[in-house]
Amino acid sequence: MLEKILLLLSLSLSVAEGLCKPGVGEAYKVRFSIKTALGDQAYPWNKNEMFLFRAALAFAMRDFTNGEEFGVSDIHPCNETQRVSFWFVVTRPKTMDLVDKGTVEMAIKKSRNRINGAFLLTDKTLEFDGIYPTLAAPVSPDTPPWLIVFGVVMGAVSVGIIALLVYPLVQRKLKKNMDADDEDSDEETGVKTAENGANDGIYNSTFSDDERFTQM
Amino acid sequence: MRLVLPNPGLDLRIPNYEDLEKMEKEDGDRPKWDNKAQYILTCVGFCVGIGNVWRFPYLCQTHGGGAFLIPYIILLVLEGLPLLLLEFGIGQRLRKGSVGVWRAINPYLTGVGIASMLVSLLIGLYYNTLIAWIMWYLFNSFQGPLPWTQCPLNDNRTGFISECQQSSTVDYYFYRVTLNASASITDSGGLQWPIVICLLAAWTVICICYIRGISTSGKAVYVTALLPYVVLAIFLIRGLTLKGAMNGVKYLFTPDVDELMNPTTWLDAGAQVFYAFSLAWGGLISFSSYNPVHNNCMQDAVILTIITGLTSIYAATVTYTVIGFRATDKYDTCISENIRMLLNGFELPEDSITASNYNAALHHLNSSNPDTVFGLDIKTCDMQKLLSEGVEGTGLAFIVFTEAITKMPGSPAWSVLFFIMLLCLGLSTLFGNIEGVVVPLKDLNLFPKKWPQEALTGVTCLVSFIICLLFAQQSGLYWVTLFDNFAGSIPLLTIGLTEMIAVVYIYGIDRFNEDIKFMIGKKPCIFWQISLRFTSPLILLVILVFYLVTQAQQELTYLVWDPDYDEFPTLASVPYPSWINVVIFVLAGIPSLVVPVYALCRLVFVRCKKKMNQAKIFYFV
């Protein structure tokens, strides 16, 4: 009995070995860049990490197919290199039928974050050859911030212009009121008018000979 | 040499020394500076502009690095300094803006003033467009992450838009998002409304700063002239602490003495000195006419020369620390990418190839498996090439620098600082520019006399804004380049040369010497005599002739941003359409020709008037 079970297991293993061929059929290549991602805190790659990978992938398949009982033994890796990259194929539970590439791809896409999280890696450091991550859209706020800054600047400048234009007018008005008050109370305005504009000592260049040879 | 052309009636047109002393005592209605510092800061702000950040460092580096300082300083002293003294002296003596000064020297020379005004106007138009772009980037810097770090996604969200993918995020942001550049100057497209409102902001800011002439711009200049120095200091400290900064500085200052034998080096140095000092724009003459009569203009000229020279070197150092940082960062990225490809291609463990043993490893792999290595398409990482990339003009500010800033920690803050600095540099130059436009318009009586200064500024800014909408089109970038190449080169050299000849030979160098003696107490020494009479006019003439010759020989082509071009993202070089010759004539020819044409028209007019008067006398007799 024991020999029969052993024979079956070895047969299935050898069949599985035959299933996983790099670059052919339904195989996917995976590449880990643990040292790039984690630097000093990088963990070494060993059989336990491989087991975790197979378990994570089995979880992804279960999640996508909604209950089909994939197990660790349904993920078959091969051609492992020093780079920490290898090929793998997925077979249906209890049979040796290969799951097609499309399904595997969609399953991985769905659970990509979970698989990355299990290994403390990102989309860039845990690469599946041929499966491109869906990119996050660039952050765009509702009101473009530049409009806000522009509004502030234009508001300040407009207020400034209005202030600069209105201020001398207001001053002139106040002065006129004050002058009017003075004139009412002051009776000797006759002298003032006579001397208007004929003060000594102010050089009025309007009447100089500058413009004699007039320009065109 | 006592060569002076006959100039009758000069004494009647200009105030004599007694008049000047009287004017000094009375409070005339001519505006004046609050204090000397305001005047110096305004002149420094006018001379130190965006060109110091994005033109001088490029020239310095391409013409032999540290060795370029030799022709630069020589020409600064021989060409810039005498011209500065000339403009300061004549403005302070005759107490008028540029049109008034030339009209006083000889009414036939009024054309020089008009040409100055036209050149100032044309330059001001495209300069303010650059300010508008700087404002756009400034407004957009108040967010993190900066908008030019990300490419927008394409339709099915699997990658980025191809135009952005092929070029880079900063290129895409400048050419597509900001300018929406069309593929040729004829294809004007529609108005880019973000640029329109930034232009509106730019012209409004200028309007408010200059609204009462120098009484408002003189206050604004305390900020716009001093802030760039503060920001440059901050960037210097930040830049020197960045990785690879010293690569950039070394690249900038490594002297190559052979370049001194090359005549283009001297020509470029001379042209840079001339443009850097904003000579022949008319603004400097105006500014010094508001000075007290006995202000020491010779000292001012020397101070300004020293400050401008030192600022150029200072700005160049800061610029190249940042360029060095960016080049080092790109180089490191390039090497890492190559290492990654080698590791993946040969399935080697991760730490086997590092930056230090990269070259040895590549050599080893290439000798053992050359085919595989070739198939991987390894790019050569060239530090020198990265250091020499796109480092002048708008390319420096909007592409290279913005990219470098995204790699610094706290990028929004650095971006805000950088663009505020560029904004201040540009604004302070524009004050001088608008002075050179508004004051001649007033002198030519083109505005009604009773209009206040506010109305003059407002109308000028409004009309300029409307003309500037030309640059807000999708082909705006190409128009700006066109204006930059033609409006600001030949006419300025012609006007500068005419100014020198007019003052030295028509006004009379002896009279000028006496004026300087009256104003500051001593005659200019032998250095000034020789340089004003011979050296400076000669240098200007040589530069002008060479410029004309090179421009005439050059094919009229320009660079376009064309996503359909084979070698995109390199800019494609396409020839100008034939109607561009008319535009070039308007930009370069008309200001230069105004000088002789005006004199001719006036001659004809005076002759006609004389004939008419003679005919009238005969009639009455």
Side-chain angles (χ1 to χ4, degrees), chain B residues 56-88:
Chain B
F56 175 78
Y58 169 74
L59 282 178
C60 191
Q61 182 276 309
T62 44
H63 287 296
F68 182 75
L69 292 177
I70 299 176
Y72 185 68
I73 292 176
I74 292 178
L75 286 169
L76 209 66
V77 168
L78 285 182
E79 180 198 349
L81 200 50
L83 274 167
L84 268 185
L85 177 68
L86 190 134
E87 293 214 349
F88 283 165

Side-chain angles (χ1 to χ4, degrees), chain A residues 24 29 42 45 48 64 100 104 106 115 183-184 192 200:
Chain A
V24 173
K29 185 169 182 184
W45 183 259
N48 302 332
F64 180 67
D100 63 282
V104 176
M106 287 194 282
I115 304 175
E183 273 184 19
D184 285 340
K192 207 168 164 192
D200 281 345

Side-chain angles (χ1 to χ4, degrees), chain A residues 29 31-37 81-85 109 127 132-139 141 144-147 149-150 153-154 156-161 163-165 167-168 201-203 205 209-216, chain B residues 9 12-15 19 22-23 26 96 103 107 135-136 138-140 142-143 145 150-153 157-160 193-194 197-198 200-201 204-205 207-208 211-212 216 340 343-344 347-351 445 454 598 601-602 605:
Chain A
K29 185 169 182 184
R31 196 179 294 119
F32 283 74
S33 310
I34 307 171
K35 289 211 183 83
T36 318
T81 66
Q82 273 192 315
R83 172 68 181 78
V84 192
S85 69
K109 268 192 179 159
E127 299 162 73
Y132 300 108
T134 31
L135 302 160
V139 178
W146 71 271
L147 267 182
V149 183
F150 172 75
V153 168
M154 285 304 278
V157 169
S158 313
V159 165
I161 292 182
L164 279 174
L165 290 177
Y167 183 67
I202 293 181
Y203 184 79
S205 56
D209 283 334
D210 271 353
E211 317 293 278
R212 220 214 288 175
F213 288 81
T214 323
Q215 57 286 354
M216 202 161 83
Chain B
L12 300 160
R13 290 192 294 268
I14 62 179
D19 297 337
K22 253 196 210 160
M23 281 199 285
E26 321 302 346
K96 293 245 169 68
R103 187 195 289 159
M135 277 190 160
W136 164 259
L138 176 64
F139 294 158
N140 273 292
F142 287 94
Q143 51 184 301
Q150 303 159 329
C151 267
L153 296 176
R157 296 188 64 186
T158 52
F160 300 117
W193 69 267
I197 67 178
C198 286
L200 182 68
T204 324
V205 169
C207 191
I208 190 181
I211 200 159
R212 290 231 195 92
T216 40
R340 194 186 70 88
L343 288 177
N344 290 352
E347 306 287 3
L348 300 165
E350 269 183 281
D351 277 348
N445 298 324
E454 289 90 337
Y598 183 89
C601 286
R602 188 188 160 81
F605 181 75

Side-chain angles (χ1 to χ4, degrees), chain B residues 182-380:
Chain B
S182 59
S184 85
I185 199 170
T186 39
D187 183 14
S188 63
L191 284 179
Q192 259 299 83
W193 69 267
I195 300 292
V196 171
I197 67 178
C198 286
L199 269 175
L200 182 68
W203 279 110
T204 324
V205 169
I206 284 290
C207 191
I208 190 181
C209 286
Y210 193 73
I211 200 159
R212 290 231 195 92
I214 62 165
S215 49
T216 40
S217 77
K219 313 267 186 318
V221 102
Y222 284 117
V223 173
T224 61
L226 291 176
L227 189 60
Y229 286 97
V230 174
V231 174
L232 277 174
I234 298 175
F235 261 97
L236 184 68
I237 299 173
R238 169 78 269 209
L240 287 174
T241 53
L242 290 170
K243 178 174 181 236
M246 292 317 288
N247 288 341
V249 177
K250 258 186 267 178
Y251 184 66
L252 171 70
F253 286 125
T254 318
D256 179 6
V257 193
D258 295 327
E259 278 286 340
L260 292 181
M261 302 299 154
N262 189 355
T264 1
T265 309
W266 292 84
L267 276 172
D268 279 339
Q272 174 63 16
V273 166
F274 187 75
Y275 301 136
F277 275 136
S278 311
L279 295 159
W281 291 32
L284 286 175
I285 299 180
S286 254
F287 285 147
S288 50
S289 71
Y290 305 131
N291 271 330
V293 171
H294 294 292
N295 175 53
N296 193 341
C297 49
M298 203 186 283
Q299 196 184 52
D300 294 342
V302 174
I303 292 176
L304 199 60
T305 310
I306 295 176
I307 292 181
T308 311
L310 289 177
T311 309
S312 299
I313 300 174
Y314 179 42
T317 315
V318 174
T319 310
Y320 266 84
T321 53
V322 178
I323 289 176
F325 162 67
R326 174 188 169 270
T328 311
D329 186 278
K330 280 201 128 156
Y331 180 76
D332 287 342
T333 316
C334 179
I335 298 274
S336 310
E337 188 58 27
N338 285 352
I339 291 177
R340 194 186 70 88
M341 281 201 282
L342 283 175
L343 288 177
N344 290 352
F346 286 95
E347 306 287 3
L348 300 165
E350 269 183 281
D351 277 348
S352 54
I353 308 180
T354 59
S356 37
N357 64 5
Y358 167 73
N359 282 323
L362 180 65
H363 183 76
H364 170 79
L365 288 169
N366 213 358
S367 43
S368 51
N369 302 50
D371 298 325
T372 332
V373 172
F374 185 71
L376 288 173
D377 197 20
I378 307 276
K379 295 190 180 55
T380 28

Side-chain angles (χ1 to χ4, degrees), chain B residues 524-577:
Chain B
C525 65
I526 191 78
F527 161 74
W528 300 103
Q529 304 298 328
I530 297 180
S531 51
L532 280 171
R533 275 182 235 234
F534 306 116
T535 349
S536 301
L538 195 65
I539 295 176
L540 272 184
L541 187 64
V542 167
I543 296 178
L544 177 64
V545 166
F546 266 97
Y547 244 75
L548 281 171
V549 166
T550 36
Q551 288 282 34
Q553 287 177 336
Q554 247 176 18
E555 254 186 61
L556 287 177
T557 59
Y558 66 114
L559 298 170
V560 297
W561 176 260
D562 187 359
D564 298 324
Y565 181 52
D566 295 330
E567 286 172 49
F568 185 77
T570 322
L571 296 172
S573 177
V574 288
Y576 275 120

